[in-house]
Each structure stands twice: as C-alpha cells, then as structure tokens.
Amino acid sequence: MSAVMQDDTLKARLVEALGAGAVVDDAARLAYVANDVYRTGGAPLCILRPASVAALQTAVRLCAEAGVAIVPRGGGASYTDGYLFPAGGHVLIDTGALTAMEIDERNAIVTVEAGVTWANLKAALDARGLRTPFWGPFSGIAATVGGSVSQNSVSHGTAAHGISAQSVLGLDVVLANGELLTTNAAEAMRFYGPDITGLFTGDCGTLGVKARIRLPLIAALPHAEALSFAFDSFEAYHAAVRRAQIARIDDSHFMIDLALSQGQIGRQQSAGARMQIAWSVFSKAPNKLKGLAQVLKMALAGEDPMRSGQYMCHFIVEGFDPADAAHKADRLRRIIGDDGREIANTIPAFVRTMPFAPLGNILGPDGERWVPIHGVLTHEKTVPFHSAFKALLAARKADMDRLGIWTGTMASPVNSSGFLYEIALYWPDARTPYHLETLGPDWIAGLKDYPANPEAKAYANELKEAIVALMQEYGSGHFQIGRAYPYVSRLKPQASVLVRALKDQLDPKGVMNPGALGF
C-alpha cells in the first residue's frame, strides 16, 4: 500500500471513530499549526480535535497502530518547536476541545481537562473566592493547563508557590497504546511513594498526552499591594531580588530592563493604553478612594516609571486584609533596602487587574519577529552569566546593528534558589500565518511591515544557539524544552538509562512527539 493510501486509510478511520468535525485537513489550518511563535515546521497529515477523553484515547491508539507520529498542541504560544515536527506527515492533536472542569470545594481539588485555559480556570474559581497556588503564565489567555504542565512554566504565583509542576496533584495521561494512566495512587496527595506524576510534567508529550490535570485549591487573598523598584546596575538588582526570593513575601514578581521598558512594554503604554490601565485599576479596586489615589499617582508619574533605571522589578504582595498586605509590602521595602529605589507601581497594578493580556508581545514593538531564550541559574552564577552575555553582545554589536537585531532582558524567581534569566531577541523579518491569525488584521495593520529577511533570520538563529550554548556553560536549566534546549544529553549516564527505558516501555514505536527532549 502506498504512503498516500495509508494516510487516506488512517484519516478515514479517524473520521469514522471521532466524526468528520474532529478531523481537519484544510490546507490553511495545516499551515497555521505548522508554525509556532518562532519557527515553521512540517505540515501535519491532519489535525484532530477530540471532544472527550475517550475520543482522545481512540485517536492516539489508531495513530500509534498506524505508526504515525503523534504531536500534542495546547494553546500554541510556544517558541521552542515543542509541537513542530520537521518532517511533517504527523497527526497533530489539538486539545482545545477538552474543556471540562470539576471544582470540588469540599476536598479543595479542581480537575480540568487539558484544553482548559488558565484564564477560564481563573474566572471559574474567582466566583468562589478560590485559586490554584500557581495560577498561570502571562500568556494564560491562550495557554492551556495541559500545555503548561507538559512544558513547565512560571509567572503568577511562582514566587510564593513555585512553578506549574509544583501545583499538580495528579494527572490522567493517554499512553501510546490508548490506555489511560492515572499517576497518583492516592486521591488527596501526590507524593505517595515514588513521584509518578513528576515523570509526566515537562515531558512535552513524549511520554503521553495529558488528558486531565488535578490541582489543589487555596483561598484567594482579596487584598494586594503592587510595588515597583528601580536599580542602576544588574548586580544591585540581583542582590536585592535574591533576598526577596528567600523571604517569599510576594505572590509574584518580574524584572524588565530598560530596553524592554522602552520597547516591548513601552508600546503598551500609549495614552489610550494608560487610560485603559487607569480605568481597570480604579474599577477593580475594592476601595474606590484608594483606587482613585492609585490612578492619580500613576498620572503624576507619567512615563517616568518606564525609564527610572536600567532594571525595574515589579512585585505583587497579597494579604488577608489591607493591613496584612501593607505590612508585607513594608517588609519587602526593607528587604530591597538601599539597593533599589521605589518608583510608581503602574506596571504591577495593571498586571494585578489584567493578569492575562492579549498576545501582542509575540511580535516586537515595531512588528519585528521575536523569540525568548531563557535559562534558570543558581544565584552564584547569575551575575557572572550576565557579564558573559553582555560580552557576547558587545562582540557581535556591529553585525547586530547592521541587521537591525536587538535584545532585552526579563527575569523571574524560580522558588528561592533558582533565577530565571530570559532574553528577548528581535529581528526584522516577515510574519508567519501564526502571527497573522493570532493577532488579527487590526493589530497587524498598526505595525511596520517587513519583507522576508533570510540574512537577519539566519543570524538571529545563530545568535539564539550561541546564547543557549552560553547558558549551558553556566549550568542552566530550562522550561519549555521542546526541541530547542538540551535535555537527554545533559543527563548523567544512570539517569539517561532510566529515562530512555521509560520512553521505550511507554512508547515502543517512538511515535509520541519524536525528537522532543532529544528522544
């Protein structure tokens, strides 16, 4: 039987099992999902949108029996080739139709199917005064719970509660043979014997497809203080934020450097955007007088908070009541001490009221292409890495200036001991179908249009690889490993044997997202 006939036979079996509406092979849709934020991969044979966990099991089993690669996709806002299969011809499983949610207040557990977005989960829990400890990345308007668990992620709640994987009680995972594996042996706890759940967090779908995720619930604290500090040097910033990480007073915090403040973040600070921020802060403030005072403070600050230092760090501190939040904020001010100076809190106040902003940042401030590169470092190696990175940029300045390539830096905590250093890389180049559809014509119309720029694209990719290599020299770890960061090659021999044996046992044909994580 020819390859074309085999493909047609598989698609026919999938249509019969799942229904015609769940199997998509329209050329435009295939072109769209063949792109992530950064790169273009091979076109899938088809896209599957199973509407139930049982349908997902059937789909995986049929594809595995046919020996066709199975690649899962969540919200799509990935940039590490996590759901791109270079060879094409794979079946891409879009989990977006798996949106069931069960909130069990009595047992303080919420169970969600993999396609539930963090924004929708938050909306459902807000109505009950509840939240999960980690409650989503900044891209949570699109990012799914299943995607974050498969890739690992940080942002909201990370400073106090850790990364996405640390807020998972258990998983239901569809294995390559179509069977459903429940990872936790006890309903109320994850760590009952060896941590089987942990094997599937951060696996990028190489061990199985996430079907359901169980997360713990905690009370949402209704009162918050937003604080911002400026630092004139990276060394001063890191010294202060290291103390803040150990204290774990805030729910979340993040740093943006001057380049991003004036560029990517600054683009969002137009007069119209500032009005939207001000109204959001005022309308959502539990105390309208305090909300008005905050708006006036922001108005007096103007654009100064965006240009108050080389590095600006923004904190959100939560409390049981206003006095509790204010007490924690004052303690944080003492911890920051003389290393930084407090500035107007426009940015964290906005993030508190609108934590999941639209995905406009998938392009640069003038419409440039964008890819972030990150590494999680020990505190001891953070400042030396920063110096080495700056030296790398200095050595390449002439080429970067000639090609219109530039960078900015963000940072976030990873528990008390890890420091996430993220570099945003921009270059002038044509957009892909992913950017055009995700942002829409109105947003795209306001940006500069760039023609295809193979030279800048190639140089940006080479620079990206050089940055990843530099991070490896400093022992960096990574989230969203996909096909962009080394994993298997970083394992010690005994660990490599264990992980490869697990892969062979669960996926003997090697059809589950081949190539991701180095498998």
Side-chain angles (χ1 to χ4, degrees), residues 149 164-171 190-191 197 201 213-216:
V149 171
S164 56
Q166 292 172 269
S167 288
V168 178
L169 286 174
L171 302 167
R190 168 172 166 178
F191 303 102
T197 297
T201 62
I213 302 96
R214 286 173 290 282
L215 307 165

Side-chain angles (χ1 to χ4, degrees), residues 144-418:
T144 62
V145 178
S148 292
V149 171
S150 290
Q151 296 272 47
N152 284 333
S153 60
V154 296
S155 288
H156 299 299
T158 293
H161 303 284
I163 69 170
S164 56
Q166 292 172 269
S167 288
V168 178
L169 286 174
L171 302 167
D172 292 340
V173 182
V174 178
L175 304 179
N177 61 5
E179 293 180 359
L180 192 68
L181 169 68
T182 296
T183 63
N184 48 324
E187 293 182 45
M189 62 183 294
R190 168 172 166 178
F191 303 102
Y192 182 29
D195 180 21
I196 298 175
T197 297
L199 294 173
F200 294 89
T201 62
D203 76 330
C204 201
T206 60
L207 300 180
V209 181
K210 310 297 177 298
R212 299 187 189 94
I213 302 96
R214 286 173 290 282
L215 307 165
L217 294 173
I218 60 176
L221 299 181
H223 301 279
E225 293 279 345
L227 299 92
S228 295
F229 299 89
F231 304 86
D232 291 326
S233 72
F234 184 84
E235 291 78 5
Y237 155 68
H238 177 255
V241 81
R242 186 190 68 83
R243 297 191 298 267
Q245 281 185 238
I246 293 173
R248 301 186 79 164
I249 295 172
D250 58 291
D251 187 66
S252 58
H253 74 255
F254 56 96
M255 179 276 288
I256 51 177
D257 71 0
L258 187 61
L260 290 188
S261 295
Q262 293 178 328
Q264 189 77 320
I265 306 300
R267 181 184 68 186
Q268 300 177 353
Q269 298 297 311
S270 64
R274 286 196 295 272
M275 286 294 292
Q276 181 184 10
I277 293 171
W279 171 249
S280 181
V281 169
F282 176 75
S283 63
K284 295 185 180 181
N287 183 314
K288 297 306 178 190
L289 185 61
K290 187 173 181 179
L292 179 60
Q294 173 62 32
V295 169
L296 291 174
K297 183 179 179 182
M298 289 160 53
L300 290 172
E303 293 191 354
D304 288 345
M306 310 304 298
R307 300 173 173 84
S308 296
Q310 290 298 312
Y311 304 92
M312 278 71 72
C313 193
H314 308 284
F315 295 82
I316 298 173
V317 177
E318 296 185 334
F320 298 103
D321 55 33
D324 183 36
H327 174 72
K328 291 178 180 176
D330 286 340
R331 186 179 171 199
L332 181 60
R333 290 184 180 98
R334 292 194 296 272
I335 288 171
I336 298 298
D338 295 334
D339 284 314
R341 57 187 177 278
E342 190 166 3
I343 59 176
N345 60 353
T346 308
I347 292 176
F350 176 53
V351 170
R352 171 70 180 180
T353 57
M354 190 180 292
F356 305 126
L359 299 182
N361 286 352
I362 61 173
L363 290 175
D366 291 322
E368 307 98 317
R369 291 288 298 277
W370 163 81
V371 65
I373 311 139
H374 76 272
V376 180
L377 302 155
T378 63
H379 288 295
E380 181 181 37
K381 294 182 179 179
T382 294
V383 172
F385 170 79
H386 173 77
S387 299
F389 170 61
K390 292 300 181 182
L392 183 152
L393 292 185
R396 292 170 172 265
K397 185 177 187 304
D399 285 335
M400 292 175 66
D401 289 347
R402 177 177 61 84
L403 295 170
I405 298 172
W406 61 283
T407 66
T409 304
M410 297 182 65
S412 296
V414 180
N415 297 313
S416 59
S417 57

Side-chain angles (χ1 to χ4, degrees), residues 22-63:
V23 183
V24 179
D25 59 2
D26 173 73
R29 296 307 301 166
L30 297 181
Y32 170 67
V33 299
N35 294 273
D36 66 4
V37 175
Y38 176 55
R39 205 193 306 265
T40 301
L45 170 65
C46 63
I47 304 164
L48 301 184
R49 281 181 57 87
S52 68
V53 173
L56 173 61
Q57 292 179 256
T58 298
V60 170
R61 178 177 56 81
L62 291 174
C63 292

Side-chain angles (χ1 to χ4, degrees), residues 89-165:
H90 55 294
V91 170
L92 186 135
I93 297 182
D94 177 355
T95 61
L98 297 172
T99 58
M101 185 187 315
E102 179 185 348
I103 302 172
D104 182 354
E105 286 193 58
R106 181 176 180 82
N107 291 310
I109 296 172
V110 59
T111 301
V112 300
E113 289 185 343
V116 172
T117 66
W118 290 100
N120 286 340
L121 176 58
K122 182 179 188 303
L125 295 177
D126 279 350
R128 301 172 185 241
L130 297 170
R131 57 172 278 192
T132 54
F134 171 87
W135 52 278
F138 291 133
S139 59
I141 195 170
T144 62
V145 178
S148 292
V149 171
S150 290
Q151 296 272 47
N152 284 333
S153 60
V154 296
S155 288
H156 299 299
T158 293
H161 303 284
I163 69 170
S164 56

